[in-house]
């Protein structure tokens, strides 16, 4: 029997944060750091999972709530890079303290997502982790807003050449596994997902920014893509993933969609659940 949404959330947040094996900075801001959770005594360098946390791009939600799941993946034989990125607004830039509860920053949130994916392979080498993490077998993953980050990061070569995050070629990835992702920003806006988080993220120039920020508008990417979605998710309803999948089908790149019945938003990243094991299996399938 399925737990209700509040019980699922309580189960996830009942896990104590897990300390990383190593941490490295990818920029000068305090939020520009990556925690590494590593497998124990791997026989060979393990596939590297860059795992973005969710929390509707709001500052009170940081990477620590995803650290138990990162440790779970490390226990399954993956090397995991768990980045932080800038969220909300900074009071010391003249914003009121309550502004940190707003969703994201433009363009800093996107700057950080792009920088993480570009710089993590170098951080692995500079941190002496090359014998543990295989930077030639990278899978992007993320939950909720972090699922948006993973999908968007894999699509940067589809941005116009003048866009600040444009890549000339697809990133060298094995694929993307997006968990309950805010995958289609227009669909999420229509459903007012996470209390209008998309509108807050894009700000007063929403119409101009949406084509640069929406993964569904950047298809096809040519990057293998999996969506894992709880069938009873009330935080990011299944219609958002369905809309992205429909856009992928029209673009000639339908994603693999794994829908888990009677599961809500948080079990996908709760290491105590079968849903989390399904997620790990999907990552392993792409990384193989």
């Amino acid at each position: 029997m399925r737990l209700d949404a509040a019980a699922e959330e309580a189960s996830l947040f009942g896990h104590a944060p897990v300390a990383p094996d190593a941490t490295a900075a990818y920029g000068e801001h305090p939020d520009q750091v990556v925690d590494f959770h590593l497998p124990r005594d791997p026989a060979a360098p393990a596939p590297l999972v860059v795992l973005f946390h969710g929390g509707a791009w709001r500052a009170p939600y940081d990477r620590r709530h995803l650290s138990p799941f990162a440790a779970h993946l490390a226990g399954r034989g993956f090397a995991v890079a768990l980045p932080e990125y800038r969220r909300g607004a900074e009071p010391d830039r003249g914003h009121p303290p309550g502004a940190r509860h707003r969703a994201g920053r433009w363009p800093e949130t996107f700057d950080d997502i792009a920088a993480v994916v570009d710089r993590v392979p170098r951080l692995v080498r500079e941190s002496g982790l090359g014998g543990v993490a295989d930077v030639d077998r990278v899978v992007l993953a993320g939950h909720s807003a972090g699922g948006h980050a993973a999908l968007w990061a894999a699509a940067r070569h589809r941005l116009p050449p003048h866009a600040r995050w444009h890549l000339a070629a697809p990133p060298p990835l094995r694929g993307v596994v997006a968990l309950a992702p805010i995958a289609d920003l227009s669909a999420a806006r229509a459903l007012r997902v996470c209390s209008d988080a998309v509108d807050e993220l894009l700000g007063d120039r929403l119409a101009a920014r949406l084509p640069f920020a929406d993964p569904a508008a950047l298809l096809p990417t040519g990057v293998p893509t999996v969506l894992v979605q709880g069938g009873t998710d009330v935080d990011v309803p299944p219609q958002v993933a369905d809309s992205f999948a429909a856009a992928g089908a029209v673009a000639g790149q339908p994603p693999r969609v794994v829908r888990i019945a009677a599961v809500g938003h948080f079990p996908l990243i709760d290491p105590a659940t079968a849903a989390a094991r399904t997620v790990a299996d999907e990552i392993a399938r792409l990384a193989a």
Side-chain angles (χ1 to χ4, degrees), residues 151 181-189 198 214-216 239-241 243-244 247:
L151 292 167
I182 306 179
D184 184 315
L185 297 190
S186 293
R189 288 191 68 223
V198 173
D214 188 356
Q239 295 97 302
V240 178
S243 184
F244 179 90

Side-chain angles (χ1 to χ4, degrees), residues 3-18 51 53-55 61-70 72 143-144 179 235 264-273 276:
L3 297 174
D4 64 26
E8 290 178 338
E9 183 174 0
S11 177
L12 171 68
F13 286 95
H15 297 287
V18 178
L51 179 66
H53 74 81
Y61 305 99
D62 63 23
R63 68 193 185 282
R64 288 176 295 179
H65 78 270
L66 201 53
S67 63
F69 182 64
H72 171 72
H143 176 247
S144 195
L179 319 175
D235 295 279
H265 193 60
F266 294 104
L268 303 182
I269 55 168
D270 183 342
T273 68

Side-chain angles (χ1 to χ4, degrees), residues 13-42:
F13 286 95
H15 297 287
V18 178
D21 296 294
T23 299
Y26 65 91
E28 297 182 355
H29 191 277
D31 283 340
Q32 292 176 316
V33 295
V34 180
D35 289 341
F36 291 96
H37 294 262
L38 304 172
R40 300 295 174 227
D41 303 318

